[in-house]
Amino acid sequence: MRDGFGREITYLRMSVTELCNLRCRYCMPAEGVCKRRHEEMLTQEEMLRAVGVAATLGMHKLRITGGEPLVKKNILAICEGAAMTPGIEEICLTTNGALLPRLAKPLKAAGVNRLNISLDTLDADRYAWMTRVGSLDDALKGIEAALEAGFARVKINAVLIGGFNDDEIRPLARLSERWPVDVRFIELMPMAEVAAFGPEAFIPCGRVVEALPELEPIAESDGVARLYRLPGGQGSIGLISPLSAHFCGRCNRLRLTADGRVKPCLHSPREYPLKGLDAEGMRRQFLAACTAKPERHPLLSYESRSGANRSMNRIGG
Ligand code: SAM
Ligand code: SF4
């Protein structure tokens, strides 16, 4: 399936819940989200129908996200069903890691191929402050559980935030020496909840290269990240720069929210509902969303906010 700008759409990011066990300040309101009525959200059957339709349209890679996907009671059944869907070649899951000690092995058994674990700081007090309710120890135990369960090429995602963790670039990057993990630094995006952050919070990923002059560029690319390696590192260091060097030209994805909206672009309010539809209806909505993919989103900055009409936990990051 190609969009109007010739980009082949091969990647579906599906959010399975808006709920989360953390309350990260850049993602969610302090009070969490109002639990929506059951009837408003996609059922497991609808999620799997949508995955099946997406696969027939050429979306062979699936990312399961949220909110926190591991708080979803039937997460293992969803992963299992997705893994058995003809045409789905790879299933990745993005998590804050806190529930991985219990779930890493079952997720592997359910057919999840890869995990991304979010970790913005290695300082316990900062972690507790940013997540409002989380514990650094739980996140670190989650990474260890993922590695023990046999997940290969685990990615650690760190959102780079000026005045919060820009002095931790080296220790975060060195996780790729301690463990066989890839570390990704991601620029903070000006979404709804980020309104409370000042302009100093928005720093370009170029800071990582300044802080780590020994980084060696790697020719291979994984789509949206510029890749490097620390000499002696087991995994790579990636820079994802939605603000300073956006990657719309290579965008290959559609998003499906937990309440059943297909989003052509993370930063656009356009949505194509497929709740309650049969496979043919869903197919039409995916095609409409693909056709509506904009060439690029407007440049984002502290002054120029994302056009998304939802906070990140309600889109699926
Ligand atoms: N709860 C899971 C987690 O934290 O990994 C999955 C959902 S979360 C919305 C997915 C990713 O989006 C996380 O890595 C998080 O740090 C990132 N994220 C959330 N808000 C963001 C923002 N305003 N700018 C950049 N990344 C953001
Ligand atoms: Fe939850 Fe992930 Fe958002 Fe943090 S970034 S509040 S862990 S959904």
Side-chain angles (χ1 to χ4, degrees):
M1 181 169 67
R2 280 188 189 274
D3 72 2
F5 302 94
R7 294 170 297 199
E8 200 175 349
I9 308 304
T10 55
Y11 181 13
L12 179 66
R13 295 175 74 108
M14 178 171 79
S15 168
V16 294
T17 180
E18 299 180 350
L19 305 178
C20 188
N21 46 357
L22 303 186
R23 298 277 181 277
C24 301
R25 289 171 190 268
Y26 51 71
C27 178
M28 254 180 132
E31 63 281 10
V33 286
C34 310
K35 200 155 187 255
R36 312 265 299 278
R37 288 187 320 160
H38 197 60
E39 310 82 79
E40 291 177 69
M41 312 309 281
L42 289 185
T43 61
Q44 175 180 324
E45 194 189 340
E46 286 172 322
M47 285 180 197
L48 293 177
R49 187 183 308 147
V51 169
V53 171
T56 63
L57 290 169
M59 286 179 263
H60 301 304
K61 175 172 170 181
L62 175 69
R63 176 169 304 281
I64 294 179
T65 180
E68 173 49 46
L70 302 191
V71 303
K72 181 92 177 157
K73 279 201 192 75
N74 50 349
I75 186 63
L76 294 174
I78 294 170
C79 293
E80 237 159 33
M84 285 190 304
T85 303
I88 292 296
E89 291 165 5
E90 187 178 34
I91 301 182
C92 309
L93 182 141
T94 303
T95 171
N96 59 41
L99 297 176
L100 281 176
R102 181 160 53 85
L103 285 171
K105 282 190 183 141
L107 285 168
K108 186 115 199 347
V112 174
N113 304 105
R114 296 187 57 178
L115 293 177
N116 283 21
I117 304 173
S118 302
L119 180 66
D120 303 328
T121 174
L122 292 169
D123 178 294
D125 291 336
R126 287 183 187 179
Y127 189 92
W129 180 82
M130 184 57 89
T131 61
R132 292 189 177 106
V133 292
S135 138
L136 174 65
D137 201 40
D138 290 347
L140 295 175
K141 285 191 178 129
I143 298 173
E144 281 167 356
L147 296 171
E148 272 163 28
F151 281 99
R153 299 198 60 200
V154 169
K155 280 187 191 157
I156 309 293
N157 287 345
V159 180
L160 196 55
I161 303 169
F164 173 68
N165 61 3
D166 48 337
D167 60 346
E168 289 191 71
I169 291 173
R170 182 169 292 276
L172 285 165
R174 290 196 69 183
L175 293 176
S176 70
E177 295 175 343
R178 172 170 166 193
W179 289 311
V181 297
D182 297 326
V183 177
R184 298 279 176 268
F185 289 97
I186 304 170
E187 288 172 356
L188 177 68
M189 294 184 285
M191 317 294 290
E193 291 309 316
V194 184
F197 290 68
E200 69 291 347
F202 295 85
I203 54 174
C205 271
R207 285 288 174 83
V208 175
V209 185
E210 284 166 27
L212 303 170
E214 72 272 39
L215 279 181
E216 300 163 348
I218 306 180
E220 113 198 38
S221 152
D222 69 351
V224 298
R226 275 175 293 145
L227 295 185
Y228 300 83
R229 190 180 292 278
L230 281 175
Q234 305 185 60
S236 65
I237 307 294
L239 310 185
I240 303 183
S241 311
L243 276 69
S244 64
H246 71 67
F247 36 79
C248 301
R250 278 170 284 134
C251 185
N252 60 353
R253 58 192 66 176
L254 290 177
R255 290 168 193 268
L256 176 58
T257 65
D259 58 351
R261 312 287 168 122
V262 186
K263 285 185 77 71
C265 173
L266 170 60
H267 298 296
S268 152
R270 277 183 102 151
E271 298 179 343
Y272 293 79
L274 45 68
K275 169 84 193 152
L277 300 183
D278 62 9
E280 181 48 32
M282 288 186 177
R283 186 172 171 277
R284 277 200 292 269
Q285 292 296 66
F286 274 121
L287 287 169
C290 176
T291 307
K293 258 184 95 63
E295 185 173 16
R296 51 186 288 172
H297 58 71
L299 283 180
L300 300 170
S301 67
Y302 171 66
E303 290 84 18
S304 172
R305 321 296 288 181
S306 167
N309 50 350
R310 294 162 175 255
S311 48
M312 275 298 259
N313 68 294
R314 294 200 51 234
I315 299 175

